[in-house]
Amino acid sequence: MNSNSKNSASGDLISKKPNGKDAVSSAAPVKPSAASMKPSAASMKPSAAAMKISAAPTIPSAASMKPIGQSGVSGDSSSTKRHGKAVVCSDVPSDNSDRVVFFKDVTFGPQEDELRFRLIHFWEAKHAFSKILMGLEMLLVDAEGTVIQGFIPPSRMDTYLRHMKPGSTYRLTNFFGSKTKKVYRVADPDVTIAFSWKSVLSDLTDTSTWFPEDRFRFHGYEQFEAACDLKGDLYDFIGHIKLVNEQALNESFVLDEVEIASDRRILVHVQTHDGPVMKLYIWDKVATAFCEKFRSLGKPPSVIMVTTVNPKRLGGALSLSSLSSSRVFFDTDVHQTREYLAWLESNSEVANRVNAEIVTKAETATISELLTYMKQEGAKVAWFECTATIDDVVRGSAWYYIACGGCKTKATKGPTTLMCRKCGKTEITGAAEYLSKLSVYDNNDHASFVLLGDTGFELTGKKASVLVESYYEANEGSGDDHVVPVPQVLIDTIGQKRTFVIKISKHNLEGKTQALTVTKVLPLEVPALGYDLAADVVVSPTADEGVKRGADMIVSDDAKRAKSG
């Protein structure tokens, strides 16, 4: 289910401060006794206090209630027995005898009262480690603007899910008030609306009652810092985008959705007004929703808002991480993003005050710390700076690969031409790119580093394509299958002490390889005074697009001479 991508509700909000927080999963409700389900005559008439809400919205009549499906939906749609497993509404409209209450009136235990609300969002709740489905979580808002969490047990999801649509309004009778978990809450109330064995959900077609479209509650850097790693309430973030997957945005920027699908995440560097820059990790289905919305815009967005993010400390720095309950909004999606976009357009000098080198700077780590991080439980794909001395260049195997001249993905050899799976082209022009393995050491340990693409140029000052072409020009008798030896310019780097930006990849975390991918080689010298950083192009620590595709490739087929398709 990808409720986030296609069913995300959006709209303008009222200015009243939202009062919601919520839990990732809720306990299944205890079955109420049949005797407790029959209200007394006195309880069938709502009190004046219960009917009073701000702005005095109209309570719709029973005639305006439309049951879901043909006759409404209960916990077991296969049965119509009142003393069996379910109660199903009849085709006759309700006589409105149930007491209509608001979320603030809900208490613990079984209740026959009627609730009327807008469904903001819903998502699957799964166990963090076993990934077992725990149920369906919902975010609901009533006519008073109170946000509460709802929960449907797994056994009842099929009954209700096909009738639910974010943004629609409903009424619910015969529910259970269960205790909200204290971890990862996304709504304020301590009670959760749980669907019980005899719950009945119906469409609310009356338009005279106004419900807020959505509710957001924001935290800034200081609040996220204070709540870091506490696994408590989840709040929303809004800010402007500095980088996406370590790359600066421009009109020609394109998401590498193949890599995103492989890594299951997107890394966005974000900033709120002139505050500190933070790393925002967007995972799994939320990452898929990010890609879909990003693609639909036609151009890179400037403003991003992500709901219910979890503040964590990775590599010593504060970062934010999406959860299954998170939703993504861009520039003009909702009132809040439109307001922030207006501020951004009128305060561009403030927004661009942070230097790109500060944004992209990775955490410093020794070789030993890198190897230890790879083995940590729960470790994620991450980048680190590591200073090491080059001990040797591995020889006896190819030091380069033939890439697509457009996207730099490794080319595939067809019957008569070179092809690119990423571009979908059956005839491309190939170009040599670095794929070189170095043996390095620091004061306490040693490791294997792999140079990819432009990182080889950053180390040697020579492009792989130029070196390969020069070799064949000097050795005209060499065939296309000939393996070009490691060039002298690469061997000359032995003994150099350099600082590398290292990517701990998915393959490293899964134990498939111990070799570490170099995504950037920092220059030996500090830029001279007067060097204009602002005029420089922001260089991605993950190297050029397309080189990423070979990020974890250590051994390749014998490199062939580049051919023009």
Side-chain angles (χ1 to χ4, degrees):
M1 180 187 69
N2 188 359
S3 60
N4 185 54
S5 60
K6 294 185 180 180
N7 291 331
S8 292
S10 64
D12 291 350
L13 312 182
I14 60 175
S15 60
K16 180 179 176 181
K17 183 179 179 181
N19 55 358
K21 298 175 203 163
D22 124 292
V24 166
S25 65
S26 302
V30 178
K31 287 187 178 181
S33 63
S36 66
M37 292 299 182
K38 184 79 175 176
S40 64
S43 65
M44 296 174 69
K45 184 177 180 181
S47 66
M51 299 291 286
K52 184 179 179 181
I53 59 173
S54 57
T58 304
I59 299 298
S61 65
S64 67
M65 304 300 180
K66 180 184 177 183
I68 288 177
Q70 294 183 349
S71 59
V73 179
S74 75
D76 186 353
S77 57
S78 64
S79 172
T80 58
K81 299 179 180 179
R82 289 189 174 272
H83 54 278
K85 295 208 175 190
V87 175
V88 179
C89 287
S90 66
D91 290 331
V92 181
S94 166
D95 61 2
N96 204 31
S97 59
D98 294 317
R99 185 171 70 102
V100 178
V101 298
F102 297 103
F103 291 158
K104 67 180 181 181
D105 304 313
V106 175
T107 57
F108 297 115
Q111 295 169 64
E112 293 187 344
D113 298 326
E114 179 178 306
L115 295 173
R116 298 174 184 179
F117 55 83
R118 184 186 299 280
L119 172 63
I120 295 176
H121 179 47
F122 61 82
W123 62 95
E124 290 181 344
K126 295 183 178 180
H127 190 277
F129 300 107
S130 67
K131 303 304 179 184
I132 295 175
L133 181 64
M134 307 293 290
L136 191 74
E137 306 270 83
M138 299 170 287
L139 200 60
L140 317 173
V141 60
D142 67 9
E144 289 188 323
T146 302
V147 174
I148 202 168
Q149 184 174 342
F151 178 75
I152 302 177
S155 61
R156 302 184 182 117
M157 285 175 55
D158 288 343
T159 300
Y160 298 101
L161 185 57
R162 63 180 178 270
H163 302 289
M164 294 165 53
K165 181 180 178 181
S168 297
T169 55
Y170 300 94
R171 65 171 184 148
L172 176 69
T173 57
N174 300 324
F175 58 92
F176 189 90
S178 65
K179 185 71 175 177
T180 299
K181 286 189 174 181
K182 297 299 182 183
V183 296
Y184 297 142
R185 300 201 323 168
V186 296
D188 280 335
D190 291 329
V191 63
T192 291
I193 305 297
F195 284 36
S196 70
W197 66 278
K198 61 180 297 185
S199 294
V200 178
L201 181 72
S202 301
D203 286 319
L204 177 59
T205 58
D206 181 84
T207 59
S208 61
T209 302
W210 180 84
F211 295 90
E213 293 288 334
D214 212 324
R215 277 291 191 231
F216 304 112
R217 54 205 188 108
F218 298 101
H219 263 184
Y221 182 87
E222 291 77 13
Q223 292 101 329
F224 283 127
E225 179 73 37
C228 189
D229 293 320
L230 296 181
K231 299 182 180 180
D233 294 344
L234 302 175
Y235 288 86
D236 309 327
F237 169 85
I238 189 170
H240 54 280
I241 300 172
K242 305 295 290 188
L243 300 171
V244 175
N245 281 347
E246 310 287 350
Q247 298 182 60
L249 300 185
N250 53 50
E251 292 299 323
S252 61
F253 178 83
V254 177
L255 283 173
D256 189 339
E257 297 192 36
V258 176
E259 183 191 32
I260 292 170
S262 174
D263 290 346
R264 297 175 30 250
R265 72 104 174 98
I266 302 169
L267 171 59
V268 186
H269 283 79
V270 292
Q271 181 183 19
T272 300
H273 299 129
D274 59 349
V277 174
M278 292 185 286
K279 291 180 179 180
L280 170 62
Y281 292 90
I282 302 176
W283 297 94
D284 299 322
K285 290 183 178 180
V286 188
T288 301
F290 179 101
C291 291
E292 292 176 353
K293 292 175 74 71
F294 194 103
R295 194 187 319 117
S296 67
L297 288 177
K299 64 176 183 178
S302 300
V303 176
I304 184 171
M305 184 173 80
V306 182
T307 65
T308 63
V309 294
N310 181 29
K312 302 177 68 176
R313 198 169 301 283
L314 296 176
L318 173 66
S319 64
L320 305 176
S321 187
S322 73
L323 295 176
S324 56
S325 58
S326 300
R327 293 174 291 157
V328 177
F329 300 91
F330 288 139
D331 294 351
T332 59
D333 285 346
V334 291
H335 175 68
Q336 284 72 14
T337 54
R338 291 193 292 270
E339 275 193 341
Y340 193 98
L341 182 62
W343 173 88
L344 186 65
E345 291 173 344
S346 59
N347 293 273
S348 58
E349 73 288 348
V350 176
N352 296 323
R353 191 172 294 164
V354 177
N355 188 285
E357 291 295 324
I358 298 175
V359 174
T360 59
K361 184 173 177 60
E363 296 295 321
T364 301
T366 64
I367 291 176
S368 178
E369 290 170 338
L370 293 177
L371 299 177
T372 300
Y373 177 82
M374 288 163 50
K375 300 175 183 178
Q376 289 180 3
E377 183 178 353
K380 306 293 185 181
V381 174
W383 286 260
F384 298 90
E385 276 189 13
C386 181
T387 300
T389 301
I390 301 173
D391 182 56
D392 200 2
V393 179
V394 176
R395 281 156 268 195
S397 61
W399 59 272
Y400 67 95
Y401 70 102
I402 301 303
C404 169
C407 67
K408 297 190 178 180
T409 301
K410 185 182 179 183
T412 303
K413 187 175 181 180
T416 58
T417 62
L418 291 175
M419 302 182 295
C420 179
R421 292 178 180 176
K422 181 180 178 182
C423 295
K425 296 179 180 178
T426 57
E427 188 173 342
I428 62 169
T429 300
E433 294 288 345
Y434 279 98
L435 177 60
S436 309
K437 193 172 182 180
L438 309 178
S439 177
V440 301
Y441 66 90
D442 61 11
N443 292 335
N444 300 306
D445 220 324
H446 67 277
S448 294
F449 286 0
V450 179
L451 297 172
L452 283 174
D454 285 350
T455 60
F457 172 74
E458 293 167 355
L459 179 64
T460 66
K462 298 287 185 179
K463 288 186 175 294
S465 57
V466 174
L467 294 172
V468 171
E469 197 62 36
S470 297
Y471 176 84
Y472 278 107
E473 288 177 357
N475 299 270
E476 293 184 359
S478 301
D480 291 340
D481 293 335
H482 182 72
V483 177
V484 179
V486 175
Q488 187 63 41
V489 68
L490 196 55
I491 296 174
D492 289 344
T493 63
I494 294 174
Q496 289 186 15
K497 186 176 183 180
R498 303 296 293 265
T499 298
F500 304 89
V501 175
I502 300 297
K503 177 184 179 182
I504 304 297
S505 70
K506 181 180 178 182
H507 287 273
N508 294 137
L509 300 175
E510 293 175 349
K512 294 181 179 179
T513 179
Q514 292 290 305
L516 302 171
T517 302
V518 177
T519 61
K520 184 176 177 63
V521 181
L522 301 186
L524 282 169
E525 298 179 356
V526 177
L529 293 176
Y531 181 79
D532 187 6
L533 283 174
D536 200 6
V537 177
V538 178
V539 181
S540 164
T542 55
D544 265 359
E545 281 183 65
V547 177
K548 302 170 184 174
R549 198 72 297 108
D552 304 298
M553 181 171 52
I554 306 307
V555 180
S556 66
D557 299 331
D558 287 347
K560 311 296 183 181
R561 184 176 183 181
K563 283 186 176 182
S564 175

